[in-house]
Amino acid sequence: MKSLAIIGSQWGDEGKGKITDLLSQKCDVVVRYQGGNNAGHTIIVKDRKIVLHLIPSGILHDHCVSIIGHGVVFDPEAFKVELDDVLSNNININADKLKISANCTVITTYNKILDAQREAKGPVKIGTTGKGIGPAYEDKISRKGIKLKDLSNLETLKTKLAANLIEKESLFKNLYKVDYPSVEEEATRLFELGKIAAPFICDTFSILDHAVRDNKNILFEGAQGVLLDIDYGSYPFVTSSSTSYGGIFTGAGMPTGKVDEVLGITKAYTTRVGEGPFPTELFTPVGEFIQTKGGEFGATTGRKRRCGWLDIPLLKYAVKSSSLTSIALTKVDILSGMDELKVCKSYMYEGKEINCAYPGIDLTKIEPIYTDLKPFDDDFKGEPSENLKAYIELIEKELEIPISIIAFGPERNEISFRKEFFKS
Ligand code: GDP
Ligand code: IMO
Ligand code: MG
């Protein structure tokens, strides 16, 4: 195997950062291809906690080239903060290790204002991260986007920002009645911030193209999760990028390459931050217990994550829509020692039992059907108990793909590989 995709199979925060960090040890290249600093990928190394938002989780390894592909929306201010944070953690970053596509769409202050105003005053609250992600993707798709390469020329930047502002100005003044920076102010800000990103900006397409041709080990680090995908997800309560497998081919800049395996990162239960349907959500003390024990707070916004039992119909959909070839089951330790253990194997929907959350199903109108399992109480020091084995086997049987990794703690060594990735 030469290329592997890491895809969140639920609503994000499944533990992608930890798995990417570990698998990067055997990789030459790690690529982020969608999303932006709405992501929060946590890596725990001994007593240090590093949360990466924009920079790929491969950055912790000196031999790895980390690429931010053109499908990512890039906030130069957030990048500055993250760069400082990573450097202050004694992680080496230089232009050989980090490559950022000149064609990334820039998140402007205008995008962030729009995101905040819509969330505060719009008819539908999505519960976004407030990072300007949706409006930046709108700019891109409507061909008004500011590209990272535009930040190097102040005059061109002013012209593009002026064109970009025309319609938004009307919204800021008339609809939202909110202050916003002038083109002059915003251009100067972005121009200055652009200097910080400049050493890393390059043609990442060619770097990836060479890496594929040179048979390098490549890892694609997805952000968010399948159910947050703009097309496959629980629309409109989604993010604005292609978070599933298909996003790689447009967002990384690898149109013809093939990805050998697709690893679906799956939390042993389900969580969600923000608004939107959540069939197995627990509103009971059990949900609170999982939330507290699991430390389920957003790595980007600090919001409490909603918690619920594992949802097999959603995962079946993720397997199909992202061509998952195996599962990394994370946070199994959080379920250890529970008094009860349930899994939702199917839904009752419009009088029929269905076992896959196919598109078109109104997730607010389904009734989850639960199977009770015997709780497990493993300390993960030896072989899994019979009850834990039963949990794992049930998931494998239902999803019809193997569980290749089991994670049972946030630390790097709290993991069991049931398969070797990137054989050397
Ligand atoms: P990501 O966005 O998918 O990278 O996930 P987040 O970093 O947002 O959230 C996952 C959280 O769970 C982080 O705090 C991780 O340190 C932690 N974590 C990852 N795997 C495990 C695990 O197996 N057990 C426990 N207890 N924590 C884990
Ligand atoms: P990682 O990569 C969990 C959610 C937000 C909101 C919706 C839209 O850490 O798994 P946006 O700001 O993207 O327009 O918000 O998507 N969301 C995430 N939820 N993990 C993430 O990233 C998320 N990124 C966005 O909470 O519901
Ligand atoms: Mg996260």
Side-chain angles (χ1 to χ4, degrees):
M1 186 192 62
K2 285 287 161 190
S3 54
L4 172 72
I6 299 276
I7 303 282
S9 68
Q10 293 154 319
W11 274 292
D13 304 326
E14 300 90 349
K16 299 176 291 294
K18 171 179 164 145
I19 304 290
T20 305
D21 165 57
L22 284 167
L23 291 176
S24 300
Q25 288 170 1
K26 289 191 181 170
C27 276
D28 304 297
V29 181
V30 177
V31 194
R32 272 284 307 271
Y33 53 91
Q34 47 71 228
N37 59 315
N38 49 350
H41 296 178
T42 315
I43 301 161
I44 308 280
V45 188
K46 298 201 175 78
D47 52 354
R48 276 189 311 166
K49 175 176 168 176
I50 296 145
V51 182
L52 296 166
H53 302 282
L54 260 175
I55 298 174
S57 302
I59 202 71
L60 274 74
H61 303 280
D62 279 340
H63 68 274
C64 235
V65 174
S66 288
I67 295 181
I68 300 181
H70 58 226
V72 169
V73 284
F74 188 93
D75 180 341
E77 195 172 332
F79 175 68
K80 177 182 183 294
V81 173
E82 189 164 329
L83 186 64
D84 288 346
D85 182 48
V86 171
L87 289 170
S88 72
N89 271 295
N90 295 324
I91 295 161
N92 180 25
I93 298 195
N94 55 48
D96 291 331
K97 257 183 89 181
L98 179 64
K99 313 275 183 190
I100 308 173
S101 169
N103 284 331
C104 283
T105 302
V106 171
I107 301 180
T108 66
T109 305
Y110 305 138
N111 297 142
K112 287 186 257 188
I113 296 175
L114 266 183
D115 194 359
Q117 290 298 314
R118 286 175 182 160
E119 284 290 297
K121 301 173 187 167
V124 182
K125 186 174 154 63
I126 306 292
T128 71
T129 59
K131 306 291 181 191
I133 304 294
Y137 275 114
E138 285 170 36
D139 277 357
K140 169 180 156 174
I141 299 298
S142 63
R143 295 160 292 187
K144 286 195 283 287
I146 308 296
K147 295 287 175 173
L148 211 37
K149 62 187 171 198
D150 298 331
L151 303 197
S152 61
N153 183 315
L154 186 58
E155 289 317 307
T156 324
L157 181 56
K158 280 183 196 167
T159 310
K160 292 198 174 174
L161 271 174
N164 180 283
L165 183 60
I166 294 173
E167 286 171 359
K168 293 187 185 75
E169 196 158 41
S170 167
L171 296 177
F172 294 153
K173 279 186 182 159
N174 305 318
L175 182 65
Y176 295 123
K177 303 187 186 357
V178 66
D179 290 338
Y180 57 95
S182 67
V183 165
E184 187 72 34
E185 285 167 327
E186 181 64 354
T188 308
R189 187 187 76 89
L190 288 174
F191 179 70
E192 289 305 321
L193 287 166
K195 291 179 189 165
I196 295 165
F200 308 101
I201 298 174
C202 58
D203 163 20
T204 54
F205 177 89
S206 298
I207 294 169
L208 200 50
D209 184 38
H210 280 113
V212 172
R213 280 196 277 138
D214 293 346
N215 230 6
K216 300 280 188 199
N217 288 342
I218 305 172
L219 200 150
F220 296 93
E221 180 183 11
Q224 291 85 48
V226 172
L227 274 305
L228 287 171
D229 186 285
I230 186 72
D231 290 300
Y232 290 109
S234 49
Y235 192 91
F237 301 100
V238 293
T239 189
S240 298
S241 66
S242 298
T243 61
S244 29
Y245 178 55
I248 295 171
F249 301 99
T250 52
M254 202 196 52
T256 52
K258 180 176 150 291
V259 178
D260 297 324
E261 290 191 32
V262 188
L263 181 59
I265 315 301
T266 305
K267 216 177 260 187
Y269 45 96
T270 312
T271 63
R272 171 163 211 177
V273 245
E275 306 298 315
F278 183 169
T280 61
E281 182 166 13
L282 285 162
F283 299 97
T284 59
V286 178
E288 274 170 42
F289 177 84
I290 294 175
Q291 198 275 324
T292 309
K293 186 174 176 197
E296 295 295 352
F297 291 94
T300 298
T301 58
R303 289 176 293 176
K304 256 190 188 184
R305 294 175 183 149
R306 301 153 65 191
C307 297
W309 295 118
L310 194 71
D311 186 331
I312 295 285
L314 280 186
L315 289 172
K316 277 190 180 164
Y317 175 57
V319 171
K320 290 177 201 292
S321 57
S322 263
S323 307
L324 304 183
T325 53
S326 74
I327 294 285
L329 193 68
T330 64
K331 301 195 94 161
V332 179
D333 51 310
I334 304 303
L335 294 187
S336 183
M338 305 264 306
D339 292 335
E340 56 174 335
L341 181 61
K342 289 180 193 288
V343 173
C344 167
K345 282 205 330 197
S346 56
Y347 301 150
M348 214 50 198
Y349 183 65
E350 293 182 336
K352 283 197 214 111
E353 187 173 343
I354 51 167
N355 62 13
C356 179
Y358 291 112
I361 290 165
D362 183 348
L363 290 179
T364 62
K365 299 217 167 79
I366 63 97
E367 188 66 38
I369 301 174
Y370 290 106
T371 299
D372 278 295
L373 289 148
K374 286 190 190 143
F376 53 88
D377 189 13
D378 290 55
D379 61 6
F380 305 97
K381 290 192 176 127
E383 280 297 298
S385 64
E386 289 308 312
N387 290 357
L388 175 54
K389 275 192 208 153
Y391 193 61
I392 289 166
E393 279 161 18
L394 178 144
I395 298 167
E396 290 184 318
K397 182 167 167 276
E398 292 294 322
L399 301 186
E400 298 178 86
I401 53 170
I403 292 180
S404 54
I405 296 177
I406 297 172
F408 44 82
E411 292 274 353
R412 276 178 168 164
N413 61 352
E414 290 173 309
I415 195 152
S416 154
F417 286 92
R418 306 170 94 203
K419 167 196 161 94
E420 194 184 353
F421 290 90
F422 297 115
K423 285 191 193 118
S424 28

